Amino acid sequence: MKKNLLVAQSGGPTAVINGSLSGLIREAMCHPEVIGAVYGAVNGIEGILQDRIIRVDDQFASAADFELLCHTPSSALGSCRFKMPSPESGAAEYARLLEIFRKYEIGFFAYIGGNDSMDTANKIANYCYEHGEEVRVVGVPKTIDNDLPVTDHCPGFGSAAKYIATTLMEISADSAVYPLKSVTVVEIMGRNAGWLTAASGLSRALGGSYGPQLIYLPEAAFDVDRFLDDVRGALEKEDSVVIAVSEGVRLADGSYVAESMQSGQVDAFGHKYLAGVGKYLERLIADRIGCKVRSIELSVLQRAASHLQSGTDLAEAIRTGETAVQFLIAGKTRVMVALRRISNEPYRIGYEAVPLEAVANVEHKIPREWINEAGNGVREELVRYLAPLIQGETAVPMKDGVPVHFAFDKTPIEG
């Protein structure tokens, strides 16, 4: 007997997360002999627990709507930062979850998200399996941070990397127009993994005229005095110096460089809220070097810039959603869709199922040998890894000069 499919999104948004959603819904609709209705949970696991379930497969009037969803940034179903407790401490939540699954006759569940979302999917998958519930669960990777293990990279990262490479190129060009000594510090997201910040150097590394001269990542210990020497040395060579720095850069003792400026507050998963390293370094340069200096925090701008979608990233996001459905139909559960790099030249990717257990609560960081010895730049190996992920452009639907987005009717099903 066929069962229904439920899909939800969680964690931070990306420019292509809805590409995975579009591919997943469209593929599910191609298998009516196995999958009945396709439902969406509004605001992730929280939406499931609160019975905010909507029908999504009947909200597409044509193939053009699926295409429009692919070019719509952020999470079309909404997101959440809810930490699913263990079955031992959260018996009520798991009982409620099963109640909702049974109410909507859910036999397939796909969770699109990053590290913490894969932990949630793993807990739900194990609980269903251990309690004999016939609900297959698959995780669909999504994160701009690119810090999920096992998979070569994550959908969402390539577009964010493209945005950062382009933005740093433009900032560098802007900063270079005046004949005076100046420093621009650009703070980029990345708590423990520096993939996004590393992408800032792609333009210069690939032969461009502009881009940051100095790049600092969490994987290499940060030293304040050495940093100041780096800046002085760069200023001797060029009037304008641009610095890319991860928000999570740390000193040798493991403390965040700008920890004194941060609130110390944590989110539901125990992660500290980070911000302020750019401003901290701006003040440090002003006090110790004395040249003109400014800091720029890209903040959420780098997460959902659909106008700079990577064509490669979008195609892979769609394929990842499609593959998730194919895995579910094939009987797979307690797995995540992983991307495996087959070759760089030509760039080719394969898709495989990996155990959620191997992904949950594990971070994928940049190998230290891919960072230069001084800890202020990236090596060729990292450039070769990153370069294919930002390739290709997409045609963003426009009207009256601005992008057009898809929106679901999020009115919950009654009863």
Side-chain angles (χ1 to χ4, degrees), residues 7-11 40-50 52-54 75-82 111 410:
V7 59
Q9 298 171 309
S10 185
V42 177
N43 299 118
I45 195 68
E46 277 189 301
I48 300 175
L49 296 173
Q50 297 169 12
R52 284 187 277 122
I53 308 297
I54 64 173
S75 303
L77 288 174
S79 185
C80 70
R81 293 287 190 185
F82 180 81
Y111 208 30
K410 295 182 182 178

Side-chain angles (χ1 to χ4, degrees), residues 62-140:
S62 67
D65 284 340
F66 284 103
E67 184 70 16
L68 186 59
L69 179 57
C70 288
H71 295 289
T72 298
S74 191
S75 303
L77 288 174
S79 185
C80 70
R81 293 287 190 185
F82 180 81
K83 182 175 177 62
M84 193 70 177
S86 67
E88 293 75 25
S89 62
E93 283 86 352
Y94 286 88
R96 176 61 170 165
L97 193 72
L98 293 187
E99 178 186 348
I100 297 298
F101 281 174
R102 291 166 182 164
K103 175 180 177 179
Y104 294 98
E105 299 182 340
I106 302 301
F108 310 99
F109 176 52
Y111 208 30
I112 307 174
N115 284 78
D116 298 321
S117 302
M118 292 306 107
D119 176 59
T120 296
N122 185 51
K123 288 174 179 174
I124 294 172
N126 287 337
Y127 186 84
C128 289
Y129 180 81
E130 292 164 3
H131 288 76
E133 292 291 328
E134 295 184 0
V135 179
R136 299 171 193 169
V137 180
V138 65
V140 183

